[in-house]
Every structure is written in structure tokens, then in C-alpha cells.
Amino acid sequence: MSVTRTGSHSTLPGDPPGGRRAMAVWGIGVSVYFVAVIFRTSLGVAGLDAADRFHVNASALSTFSILQLLVYAGMQIPVGLLVDRLGTKKVLTIGVVLFTAGQLGFAFSPSYGMALASRALLGCGDAMTFISVLRLGTRWFPARRGPLVAQLAGLAGMAGNLVSTLVLARLLHGVGWTPAFAGSALAGVVVLVLLVLFLKDHPEGHEPEPFPHRGAAYVRRQIAASWREPGTRLGLWVHFTTQFPAMVFLLLWGLPFLVEAQGLSRATAGELLTLVVLSNMVVGLVYGQVVARHHGARLPLALGTVAATAFLWAVTLAYPADHAPMWLLVVLCVVLGACGPASMLGFDFARPANPPERQGTASGITNMGGFVASMTTLFAIGVLLDATGGDYTIAFSAVFVLQALGVSQILRLRGRAARRERERLVASRVETVHVPA
């Protein structure tokens, strides 16, 4: 006899069981990402100190973050392919070694050139973490829990940002540049030990199917097949359009904008940066729960976040006074906190569009979006600040250009992606279970 079960919350055949063991193993991977984000965002609280230490202007200062993000974005597809081929543990191990070496090198860099090289090394290692953690989640948890697991991973990254904002900033001004950055590098050693001793790529009995890897032909097939899916391209543009306003603010230009353009003290500016991170963590939990229950909410949430962000930036930059009022800056920072969770929705378009053997590659393509946008905006703001003598209103207007580009692509792709996803859902949601008559 055969029994047919339908429903969006049915467990798919071959789904891993989840449970405490899954949480423990996944938690190790998340701890690696947590440390990577601390290192990635450490420059955001040290931007003005870095300018003084290396005697550089705004354009040269932005080069630190641009180079780091350039390496990160350029590594996304290669890392996705490596994860699909080598597994999570090996790729994460390489990543930890690289980003720890980069953070340590940044601590002891005597010159601008060596500091740039250190940030590039850090970006390379950082690039290997998030996609690996996403892959780890798909290997250890049922598919229906994917949106929530991805948002929780992003939440851990924001916790890393919070540590950078609160702890590293105080260390930097308490013990100085070299002890602060060198001391933080010890966190990389700790997670490396945990990773090597305890992390497993998948639960027993859920080994992936053997898949032939044949050099350049395999690489081309993986990339081409992932890119052909409208869901992958839509995921990239959702990530592109939603992530970068908060990333640019937290990674480099938020503190100078609040201090130099808005006349706040460093302490108050640091509190507003912390508010962005706290908002991100709260909104991430809400978005994860909403999308897990209502899959159709993905696009409205993404576009709504873009609209709210654009509106608050426009009001802040056009405010008819020398400085925007504190209540407006608070609201802006709260809304910027939604950008990270909204960017995670991009993976919720790419994930169902691709089979398990392409998840790493598809995630890599998606993850490029926001970092390419962030890199472009970081550069544009630095150049515009130098060209206008520090006019933040003109410089931050670059945000609207990239948002307009991203929204146009989202609207262009949404119909095709929705049709393709419906076709896949019809083909896979009905599960036939054979039981003895």
C-alpha cells in the first residue's frame, strides 16, 4: 500500500534529522563565522585610528575595506566550488588559518602596504566561512528549517559585529593598536582547535552521493547550471540590494559620518553602531520565523526593507539643519539593522532552485551580490568625500544609485523565478511512502 503526504512542512526524503548533535556541530561552524565577522568589522571601529596610524586620506582609508571586500567577493564562486568538492571542514580550516594570520599581520603592520596585504589575507579567509556554514546547515538540518537556520547564522555574525563594536573598540583605546588586534587573533586559534577536533561534514548515514569532479569541465558545469536558475540570479540581486547600506555603515563610514557630519562624540557614535547590530539581531529572528511559516513573504520583506532604508537615508541627508536630530539617527540605525536579515532572504531564493550538489556554488554566486555592492559604495563614498571636501550628503547619495539598480533587476527576475520554483514544488512536495499492506 502507498500513502501520499503533501504539505510544505513535510520532511523530504533523505532529510537529515537535526537534533542536539546537529546543533552542537553546527554551533562550531557558526563560532568560526562569529570570529571571522569580528575580524572583518574590526576596521569599522578603528577607521579614524587607522587613518592616523598610516597617515592616509579618505580614499586610501576606504581602500582597506574595498580590497578586503574585493578579495571576499572574488572568492565566493571558487569557495562555493571548493565546499561542494572538499566539504565544509577542510574549507573552514583553511579559512581560519588565513583570517587569523591576516588579523595578526594587521596588528604588527608597520606600513600602509603591509596593512593592505594583511586585510586582503583576512578577506580571503573570511570568504570561506559563511558559505561553509550554510552548507553545514543543509547537511545537518531538514530543508524546511533552512530559512531559520540561515537567519540564525546571520545572527551569530551580527553578534561578532557587536563584540567588535563594544569590546575591540574599548581594547583599542585602552591598550593600543598592536595589543588589541594581536590579542583578538587568539580567538582564531581557539575556534581552529574546536573545528579540527569536533566538526563533521554530515551526520552518519547521510553521506552525499558520490559526484564526479573532472577539472575545468566540472567547474564550468556547476557555475553554468547554477546561473541558469532564475532563483540564483534573483537571490544575488536581493543580496546585492539589501545588504550594502548597513555593511558600508558598519564596516567603515558609519563612525566618520556620525562624528564628522553629525557632530556626535565617538562614544555616542559607537552606541548608534551598536544599535544597528542589536536591531539586526532582533529583526533576524523575526524574518527567520516569518519566512519559515510564510514562504511568500520573502520578496515583500526584501523590497520593504529597501524602501524603508532609502526613505530614512533621504530624510537624514536632506534634513534642513546642520545636524539631523538624535531621534532620526536612532530610527535610521534601527532600519539599517534590517538590511542584514533582508540580505539573507537572497539565499532563500537560491537554495530551493538548486540541488544539494550545487548548494555551495549557488550560495557563492548569491553571496557575491551584497559584497560587490558594498565594495562599490565604499569606493564611491571615499572618492566623493575627497572630491567634495568632505560633503557626506553628496557622498552617501551613492546608496540610492545602487538601490535603484538592484530593485530594477529584482523586478525583472521575480516572475521567472516564481514560475520555476512552483514547477519544482509541484514535482517534489508529494512524497509517496511505501508501507506493508
Side-chain angles (χ1 to χ4, degrees):
M1 181 179 67
S2 67
V3 180
T4 300
R5 296 185 302 175
T6 63
S8 59
H9 295 289
S10 298
T11 301
L12 298 174
D15 257 358
R20 292 181 180 179
R21 173 67 171 161
M23 284 298 299
V25 174
W26 180 76
I28 294 171
V30 168
S31 70
V32 174
Y33 178 56
F34 170 78
V35 173
V37 173
I38 294 176
F39 292 0
R40 178 201 302 171
T41 58
S42 58
L43 187 61
V45 297
L48 297 176
D49 299 87
D52 292 337
R53 180 180 176 86
F54 300 112
H55 310 290
V56 295
N57 60 15
S59 296
L61 180 61
S62 67
T63 303
F64 277 123
S65 297
I66 291 166
L67 178 61
Q68 183 180 330
L69 293 182
L70 178 63
V71 172
Y72 188 105
M75 286 290 294
Q76 289 310 292
I77 293 178
V79 167
L81 291 164
L82 283 175
V83 170
D84 286 337
R85 181 166 186 172
L86 300 180
T88 300
K89 184 170 185 175
K90 291 179 181 178
V91 176
L92 275 180
T93 301
I94 297 170
V96 173
V97 171
L98 291 177
F99 70 59
T100 302
Q103 185 78 341
L104 198 59
F106 196 58
F108 292 99
S109 294
S111 67
Y112 177 67
M114 288 190 65
L116 277 178
S118 296
R119 295 306 286 187
L121 189 64
L122 192 157
C124 186
D126 181 18
M128 299 185 178
T129 57
F130 188 64
I131 293 175
S132 298
V133 172
L134 288 179
R135 170 63 173 257
L136 198 65
T138 62
R139 291 299 186 188
W140 281 90
F141 294 99
R144 63 183 174 82
R145 297 180 64 184
L148 183 57
V149 168
Q151 288 288 356
L152 289 174
L155 186 66
M158 280 296 102
N161 203 325
L162 189 62
V163 169
S164 178
T165 303
L166 295 178
V167 178
L168 190 58
R170 292 181 181 179
L171 279 175
L172 185 65
H173 298 119
V175 301
W177 181 281
T178 298
F181 280 98
S184 66
L186 292 176
V189 177
V190 173
V191 294
L192 178 61
V193 172
L194 293 174
L195 168 63
V196 170
L197 293 180
F198 301 112
L199 190 133
K200 291 184 65 177
D201 281 348
H202 47 73
E204 295 180 6
H206 290 270
E207 293 80 4
E209 292 290 331
F211 194 78
H213 306 290
R214 298 193 177 97
Y218 161 74
V219 171
R220 287 194 297 270
R221 284 198 304 271
Q222 286 285 89
I223 295 173
S226 297
W227 185 254
R228 278 197 299 268
E229 293 292 344
T232 304
R233 301 198 300 278
L234 179 59
L236 180 147
W237 284 107
V238 167
H239 199 268
F240 177 101
T241 313
T242 54
Q243 186 202 49
F244 79 92
M247 176 69 73
V248 167
F249 198 78
L250 291 171
L251 199 60
L252 183 60
W253 291 121
L255 188 68
F257 169 76
L258 295 171
V259 173
E260 297 177 354
Q262 299 303 320
L264 303 180
S265 67
R266 287 196 181 200
T268 303
E271 291 172 358
L272 287 175
L273 293 178
T274 302
L275 179 61
V276 177
V277 177
L278 292 174
S279 172
N280 188 301
M281 297 171 76
V282 173
V283 175
L285 289 174
V286 174
Y287 279 18
Q289 293 286 354
V290 169
V291 175
R293 290 173 168 79
H294 308 285
H295 215 47
R298 293 168 300 170
L299 202 56
L301 285 176
L303 292 175
T305 302
V306 173
T309 304
F311 175 75
L312 263 299
W313 262 123
V315 173
T316 301
L317 295 176
Y319 195 80
D322 290 340
H323 301 142
M326 180 57 70
W327 67 263
L328 180 55
L329 296 176
V330 168
V331 175
L332 171 66
C333 290
V334 170
V335 172
L336 285 174
C339 291
S343 73
M344 299 299 298
L345 300 172
F347 298 100
D348 293 325
F349 288 102
R351 187 185 303 109
N354 292 273
E357 65 270 15
R358 288 206 310 265
Q359 288 295 319
T361 305
S363 295
I365 293 172
T366 300
N367 208 28
M368 283 180 62
F371 289 94
V372 169
S374 298
M375 177 180 60
T376 304
T377 310
L378 282 167
F379 176 74
I381 290 174
V383 170
L384 288 171
L385 283 174
D386 284 339
T388 60
D391 190 326
Y392 279 90
T393 299
I394 295 175
F396 271 90
S397 296
V399 170
F400 306 121
V401 177
L402 272 77
Q403 285 183 320
L405 172 62
V407 168
S408 68
Q409 295 302 309
I410 291 172
L411 296 178
R412 182 177 68 85
L413 289 164
R414 62 177 180 171
R416 276 179 280 176
R419 286 192 297 273
R420 180 67 170 150
E421 191 168 300
R422 283 195 297 270
E423 292 169 2
R424 284 185 175 274
L425 184 61
V426 169
S428 64
R429 81 185 302 184
V430 178
E431 174 189 353
T432 301
V433 179
H434 296 281
V435 296

